[in-house]
Short mmCIF file of all heavy atoms in Angstrom, two decimals:
data_model
loop_
_atom_site.label_atom_id
_atom_site.label_comp_id
_atom_site.label_asym_id
_atom_site.label_seq_id
_atom_site.Cartn_x
_atom_site.Cartn_y
_atom_site.Cartn_z
N LYS A 343 3.48 -27.32 3.96
CA LYS A 343 3.39 -27.96 5.27
C LYS A 343 2.26 -27.32 6.07
O LYS A 343 1.83 -26.21 5.77
CB LYS A 343 4.70 -27.76 6.03
CG LYS A 343 5.88 -28.52 5.46
CD LYS A 343 7.13 -28.21 6.26
CE LYS A 343 8.39 -28.72 5.59
NZ LYS A 343 8.59 -30.16 5.71
N THR A 344 1.84 -28.03 7.09
CA THR A 344 0.85 -27.45 8.00
C THR A 344 1.49 -27.35 9.38
O THR A 344 2.66 -27.72 9.54
CB THR A 344 -0.40 -28.33 8.10
OG1 THR A 344 0.01 -29.65 8.46
CG2 THR A 344 -1.13 -28.38 6.76
N MET A 345 0.75 -26.88 10.36
CA MET A 345 1.30 -26.73 11.69
C MET A 345 0.35 -27.35 12.70
O MET A 345 -0.87 -27.17 12.58
CB MET A 345 1.52 -25.25 11.98
CG MET A 345 2.38 -25.03 13.21
SD MET A 345 2.67 -23.28 13.48
CE MET A 345 4.07 -23.00 12.43
N SER A 346 0.90 -28.05 13.66
CA SER A 346 0.04 -28.72 14.65
C SER A 346 -0.67 -27.68 15.51
O SER A 346 -0.21 -26.54 15.64
CB SER A 346 0.86 -29.65 15.53
OG SER A 346 1.51 -28.89 16.52
N GLN A 347 -1.77 -28.09 16.10
CA GLN A 347 -2.59 -27.18 16.90
C GLN A 347 -1.79 -26.57 18.05
O GLN A 347 -1.86 -25.36 18.29
CB GLN A 347 -3.80 -27.96 17.44
CG GLN A 347 -4.90 -27.08 17.98
CD GLN A 347 -5.33 -26.00 16.97
OE1 GLN A 347 -5.43 -26.26 15.78
NE2 GLN A 347 -5.55 -24.78 17.46
N THR A 348 -0.98 -27.38 18.71
CA THR A 348 -0.24 -26.84 19.87
C THR A 348 0.83 -25.84 19.41
O THR A 348 1.05 -24.83 20.07
CB THR A 348 0.46 -27.97 20.65
OG1 THR A 348 1.04 -28.87 19.72
CG2 THR A 348 -0.53 -28.70 21.54
N ALA A 349 1.45 -26.14 18.27
CA ALA A 349 2.45 -25.20 17.75
C ALA A 349 1.77 -23.89 17.37
O ALA A 349 2.28 -22.80 17.64
CB ALA A 349 3.16 -25.81 16.55
N LEU A 350 0.60 -24.00 16.76
CA LEU A 350 -0.16 -22.81 16.38
C LEU A 350 -0.48 -21.95 17.60
O LEU A 350 -0.38 -20.73 17.57
CB LEU A 350 -1.47 -23.21 15.72
CG LEU A 350 -1.53 -23.24 14.21
CD1 LEU A 350 -2.88 -23.73 13.74
CD2 LEU A 350 -1.23 -21.87 13.63
N GLU A 351 -0.85 -22.63 18.68
CA GLU A 351 -1.17 -21.90 19.90
C GLU A 351 0.05 -21.16 20.43
O GLU A 351 -0.05 -20.01 20.86
CB GLU A 351 -1.70 -22.86 20.97
CG GLU A 351 -3.22 -22.89 20.97
CD GLU A 351 -3.76 -24.00 21.85
OE1 GLU A 351 -3.19 -24.22 22.95
OE2 GLU A 351 -4.73 -24.64 21.43
N LEU A 352 1.18 -21.84 20.37
CA LEU A 352 2.41 -21.19 20.82
C LEU A 352 2.66 -19.92 19.99
O LEU A 352 2.98 -18.86 20.53
CB LEU A 352 3.59 -22.17 20.66
CG LEU A 352 4.95 -21.65 21.09
CD1 LEU A 352 4.98 -21.36 22.58
CD2 LEU A 352 6.05 -22.64 20.72
N PHE A 353 2.49 -20.04 18.69
CA PHE A 353 2.69 -18.90 17.79
C PHE A 353 1.71 -17.77 18.11
O PHE A 353 2.07 -16.61 18.10
CB PHE A 353 2.50 -19.33 16.33
CG PHE A 353 3.78 -19.74 15.67
CD1 PHE A 353 4.41 -20.92 16.03
CD2 PHE A 353 4.35 -18.95 14.69
CE1 PHE A 353 5.60 -21.30 15.42
CE2 PHE A 353 5.54 -19.33 14.08
CZ PHE A 353 6.16 -20.50 14.44
N SER A 354 0.47 -18.17 18.38
CA SER A 354 -0.57 -17.15 18.59
C SER A 354 -0.38 -16.40 19.90
O SER A 354 -0.87 -15.29 20.05
CB SER A 354 -1.95 -17.79 18.56
OG SER A 354 -2.18 -18.33 17.30
N ASN A 355 0.31 -17.02 20.84
CA ASN A 355 0.44 -16.40 22.15
C ASN A 355 1.76 -15.69 22.37
O ASN A 355 1.92 -14.95 23.33
CB ASN A 355 0.24 -17.45 23.24
CG ASN A 355 -1.20 -17.88 23.30
OD1 ASN A 355 -2.08 -17.08 23.54
ND2 ASN A 355 -1.44 -19.14 23.00
N TYR A 356 2.70 -15.93 21.48
CA TYR A 356 4.01 -15.30 21.60
C TYR A 356 3.88 -13.79 21.38
O TYR A 356 2.93 -13.33 20.72
CB TYR A 356 4.93 -15.95 20.57
CG TYR A 356 6.33 -15.41 20.50
CD1 TYR A 356 7.15 -15.40 21.63
CD2 TYR A 356 6.85 -14.92 19.30
CE1 TYR A 356 8.44 -14.91 21.56
CE2 TYR A 356 8.14 -14.45 19.22
CZ TYR A 356 8.93 -14.43 20.36
OH TYR A 356 10.20 -13.96 20.27
N THR A 357 4.81 -13.02 21.93
CA THR A 357 4.68 -11.55 21.85
C THR A 357 5.16 -10.94 20.53
O THR A 357 4.85 -9.79 20.24
CB THR A 357 5.49 -10.88 22.98
OG1 THR A 357 6.80 -11.44 22.95
CG2 THR A 357 4.85 -11.12 24.33
N TRP A 358 5.94 -11.67 19.76
CA TRP A 358 6.43 -11.19 18.47
C TRP A 358 6.99 -9.77 18.51
O TRP A 358 6.47 -8.87 17.82
CB TRP A 358 5.32 -11.27 17.40
CG TRP A 358 4.88 -12.68 17.18
CD1 TRP A 358 3.69 -13.22 17.54
CD2 TRP A 358 5.64 -13.74 16.59
NE1 TRP A 358 3.65 -14.56 17.22
CE2 TRP A 358 4.84 -14.90 16.64
CE3 TRP A 358 6.93 -13.84 16.04
CZ2 TRP A 358 5.27 -16.13 16.16
CZ3 TRP A 358 7.36 -15.06 15.56
CH2 TRP A 358 6.53 -16.19 15.63
N PRO A 359 8.09 -9.57 19.25
CA PRO A 359 8.68 -8.22 19.28
C PRO A 359 9.14 -7.77 17.88
O PRO A 359 9.18 -6.58 17.60
CB PRO A 359 9.86 -8.35 20.25
CG PRO A 359 10.10 -9.82 20.37
CD PRO A 359 8.79 -10.50 20.14
N GLY A 360 9.48 -8.72 17.04
CA GLY A 360 9.93 -8.37 15.69
C GLY A 360 8.78 -8.41 14.67
O GLY A 360 9.00 -8.32 13.47
N ASN A 361 7.57 -8.59 15.18
CA ASN A 361 6.37 -8.53 14.36
C ASN A 361 6.38 -9.46 13.14
O ASN A 361 6.91 -10.56 13.23
CB ASN A 361 6.06 -7.09 13.99
CG ASN A 361 5.67 -6.30 15.23
OD1 ASN A 361 4.64 -6.57 15.83
ND2 ASN A 361 6.52 -5.37 15.65
N VAL A 362 5.79 -9.00 12.02
CA VAL A 362 5.62 -9.91 10.88
C VAL A 362 6.96 -10.42 10.35
O VAL A 362 7.08 -11.58 9.96
CB VAL A 362 4.83 -9.23 9.74
CG1 VAL A 362 4.56 -10.22 8.62
CG2 VAL A 362 3.51 -8.68 10.26
N ARG A 363 7.98 -9.55 10.38
CA ARG A 363 9.27 -10.01 9.87
C ARG A 363 9.78 -11.20 10.66
O ARG A 363 10.26 -12.19 10.09
CB ARG A 363 10.30 -8.89 9.87
CG ARG A 363 11.63 -9.38 9.29
CD ARG A 363 12.74 -8.36 9.25
NE ARG A 363 12.44 -7.25 8.37
CZ ARG A 363 12.17 -6.03 8.78
NH1 ARG A 363 12.18 -5.77 10.08
NH2 ARG A 363 11.90 -5.09 7.93
N GLU A 364 9.66 -11.14 11.98
CA GLU A 364 10.12 -12.23 12.84
C GLU A 364 9.31 -13.51 12.55
O GLU A 364 9.88 -14.60 12.44
CB GLU A 364 9.97 -11.83 14.32
CG GLU A 364 10.56 -12.87 15.26
CD GLU A 364 10.33 -12.52 16.74
OE1 GLU A 364 9.68 -11.51 17.02
OE2 GLU A 364 10.82 -13.29 17.58
N LEU A 365 8.02 -13.34 12.39
CA LEU A 365 7.16 -14.49 12.10
C LEU A 365 7.56 -15.12 10.77
O LEU A 365 7.71 -16.34 10.64
CB LEU A 365 5.70 -14.05 12.06
CG LEU A 365 4.71 -15.16 11.72
CD1 LEU A 365 4.32 -15.91 12.99
CD2 LEU A 365 3.46 -14.62 11.07
N LYS A 366 7.78 -14.26 9.78
CA LYS A 366 8.14 -14.74 8.45
C LYS A 366 9.46 -15.52 8.49
O LYS A 366 9.56 -16.63 7.96
CB LYS A 366 8.26 -13.52 7.52
CG LYS A 366 8.60 -13.83 6.09
CD LYS A 366 8.70 -12.54 5.31
CE LYS A 366 9.13 -12.81 3.88
NZ LYS A 366 9.27 -11.57 3.11
N ASN A 367 10.46 -14.93 9.15
CA ASN A 367 11.76 -15.61 9.25
C ASN A 367 11.65 -16.93 10.00
O ASN A 367 12.31 -17.91 9.66
CB ASN A 367 12.78 -14.71 9.96
CG ASN A 367 13.12 -13.49 9.13
OD1 ASN A 367 12.83 -13.45 7.92
ND2 ASN A 367 13.69 -12.48 9.75
N THR A 368 10.82 -16.94 11.03
CA THR A 368 10.64 -18.16 11.82
C THR A 368 10.05 -19.28 10.96
O THR A 368 10.53 -20.42 10.99
CB THR A 368 9.70 -17.89 13.02
OG1 THR A 368 10.23 -16.79 13.76
CG2 THR A 368 9.59 -19.09 13.91
N ILE A 369 9.02 -18.92 10.18
CA ILE A 369 8.40 -19.94 9.34
C ILE A 369 9.39 -20.45 8.30
O ILE A 369 9.50 -21.65 8.05
CB ILE A 369 7.15 -19.37 8.62
CG1 ILE A 369 6.10 -18.92 9.64
CG2 ILE A 369 6.56 -20.40 7.66
CD1 ILE A 369 5.41 -20.03 10.38
N GLU A 370 10.17 -19.54 7.75
CA GLU A 370 11.14 -19.97 6.74
C GLU A 370 12.10 -20.98 7.34
O GLU A 370 12.39 -22.02 6.75
CB GLU A 370 11.90 -18.76 6.19
CG GLU A 370 12.87 -19.16 5.09
CD GLU A 370 13.48 -17.98 4.36
OE1 GLU A 370 13.46 -16.86 4.92
OE2 GLU A 370 13.98 -18.19 3.24
N ARG A 371 12.57 -20.66 8.54
CA ARG A 371 13.51 -21.55 9.21
C ARG A 371 12.88 -22.92 9.47
O ARG A 371 13.48 -23.97 9.25
CB ARG A 371 13.94 -20.92 10.54
CG ARG A 371 15.41 -21.10 10.72
CD ARG A 371 16.11 -20.34 11.78
NE ARG A 371 15.43 -19.31 12.50
CZ ARG A 371 15.59 -19.13 13.81
NH1 ARG A 371 16.36 -19.95 14.50
NH2 ARG A 371 15.01 -18.14 14.42
N LEU A 372 11.65 -22.89 9.94
CA LEU A 372 10.96 -24.14 10.25
C LEU A 372 10.76 -25.00 9.00
O LEU A 372 10.93 -26.22 9.04
CB LEU A 372 9.60 -23.86 10.89
CG LEU A 372 9.65 -23.49 12.37
CD1 LEU A 372 8.31 -22.96 12.83
CD2 LEU A 372 10.07 -24.71 13.20
N VAL A 373 10.40 -24.35 7.90
CA VAL A 373 10.16 -25.11 6.68
C VAL A 373 11.46 -25.78 6.22
O VAL A 373 11.47 -26.93 5.79
CB VAL A 373 9.59 -24.20 5.56
CG1 VAL A 373 9.57 -24.92 4.23
CG2 VAL A 373 8.18 -23.74 5.93
N ILE A 374 12.57 -25.07 6.40
CA ILE A 374 13.85 -25.64 5.99
C ILE A 374 14.27 -26.77 6.91
O ILE A 374 14.73 -27.81 6.47
CB ILE A 374 14.95 -24.54 5.98
CG1 ILE A 374 14.63 -23.52 4.89
CG2 ILE A 374 16.33 -25.15 5.77
CD1 ILE A 374 15.47 -22.26 4.97
N PHE A 375 14.10 -26.56 8.22
CA PHE A 375 14.66 -27.52 9.16
C PHE A 375 13.77 -28.71 9.49
O PHE A 375 14.26 -29.71 10.00
CB PHE A 375 15.09 -26.81 10.45
CG PHE A 375 16.36 -26.05 10.29
CD1 PHE A 375 16.37 -24.67 10.36
CD2 PHE A 375 17.55 -26.73 10.04
CE1 PHE A 375 17.55 -23.96 10.19
CE2 PHE A 375 18.74 -26.03 9.87
CZ PHE A 375 18.73 -24.64 9.93
N SER A 376 12.48 -28.59 9.27
CA SER A 376 11.65 -29.73 9.67
C SER A 376 11.36 -30.61 8.46
O SER A 376 11.21 -30.13 7.35
CB SER A 376 10.34 -29.26 10.29
OG SER A 376 9.34 -29.23 9.31
N ASP A 377 11.35 -31.92 8.71
CA ASP A 377 11.02 -32.80 7.60
C ASP A 377 9.62 -33.37 7.77
O ASP A 377 9.20 -34.27 7.07
CB ASP A 377 12.08 -33.90 7.42
CG ASP A 377 12.52 -34.47 8.75
OD1 ASP A 377 11.75 -34.30 9.73
OD2 ASP A 377 13.61 -35.05 8.82
#
Side-chain angles (χ1 to χ4, degrees):
K343 291 178 191 284
T344 55
M345 193 178 275
S346 80
Q347 195 52 40
T348 43
L350 263 177
E351 265 170 40
L352 180 64
F353 268 71
S354 297
N355 290 299
Y356 178 57
T357 50
W358 298 109
N361 293 295
V362 184
R363 182 180 295 109
E364 185 184 3
L365 178 86
K366 181 180 176 181
N367 293 344
T368 305
I369 299 289
E370 182 171 20
R371 223 167 351 141
L372 281 169
V373 170
I374 294 168
F375 284 113
S376 95
D377 42 21

